[in-house]
Amino acid sequence: MTPSPLPTPRELQRRIEAERLGRPFLLYRRDDGTEGLFAMTDDPGSVTIGRGEACDVRLGLDREVSRLHAKLEHLGGAWVAVDDGLSRNGTFVNGERISGRHRLANGDVLRCGDSLLTFRDPTGVSYDSTRPASASPVAQVTESQRRVLVALCRPLREGGTYAMPAGNKEIAEELVLTVGAVKGHLRALFEKFGVEDLPQNRKRLRLVERAVETGVISLRDLEHD
């Protein structure tokens, strides 16, 4: 199973817009390699995942996925993953195979065959889900570092299709800092979020993604005062 590619600026913008709507959604990779985003609704019924053409989330090229592999159901205000013997190879949440129903929490990762799907709930409700001990902890940042993160992410909220994270000079001007101070904060943030070993042209985008997906930065933070 290969790791998912880093999101493009456009894909990050779509995630931010989905969070603005305040409804849970699924992130996954389509057959052509682009990122799919499936928005959930509060309507009764279920979201189907599988290789079949009629599935809501279709993983057509993954031969380890059954035609109808799993379902997500909205029960009592929570979303639950359901396998109930639907699939031959099973459905996993955070690395553990589920049996019957499993209540989902923000950030849970489902695996169907060789495909990964991430469940996002903008409300941040955890539903007391237990994460594996190997899960990465949320980075602890100082208030100054957080302000730099917000300035770094802001163009993705305001910009067009190809908007990129802010440069050092832009951040310095917004926060009335020196470029050297901005570089120092970013070096610390790269290390805290575990992206320091990435190529220079990918660090910023990955840092933005990690800050958004872990909830350190929210949509409200990106609005100008």
Side-chain angles (χ1 to χ4, degrees), residues 142 144-145 148 168 171 177-192 204 207:
T142 67
S144 295
Q145 290 169 346
V148 169
N168 293 340
I171 297 172
L177 295 172
T178 66
V179 170
V182 171
K183 289 181 177 179
H185 285 310
L186 285 174
R187 279 194 296 270
L189 288 166
F190 291 149
E191 184 174 346
K192 285 187 175 184
R204 289 171 181 267
L207 177 58

Side-chain angles (χ1 to χ4, degrees), residues 69-165:
H69 195 101
K71 296 189 297 183
L72 302 186
E73 295 181 349
H74 194 223
L75 301 174
W79 280 93
V80 297
V82 184
D83 190 305
D84 278 343
L86 289 173
S87 68
R88 175 177 298 178
N89 295 318
T91 300
F92 298 76
V93 176
N94 299 330
E96 296 184 3
R97 186 166 183 165
I98 65 172
S99 176
R101 288 168 166 76
H102 180 98
R103 193 161 49 177
L104 295 175
N106 181 42
D108 277 351
V109 176
L110 294 87
R111 179 167 67 83
C112 300
D114 282 330
S115 301
L116 299 178
L117 306 93
T118 303
F119 175 77
R120 295 285 178 81
D121 182 356
T123 65
V125 178
S126 69
Y127 304 131
D128 296 324
S129 175
T130 301
R131 297 300 182 84
S134 60
S136 299
V138 176
Q140 301 298 311
V141 300
T142 67
E143 183 57 34
S144 295
Q145 290 169 346
R146 193 171 178 281
R147 291 174 63 229
V148 169
L149 265 180
V150 170
L152 177 74
C153 297
R154 202 183 310 279
L156 291 164
R157 175 69 180 89
E158 299 176 340
T161 300
Y162 301 106
M164 293 292 289

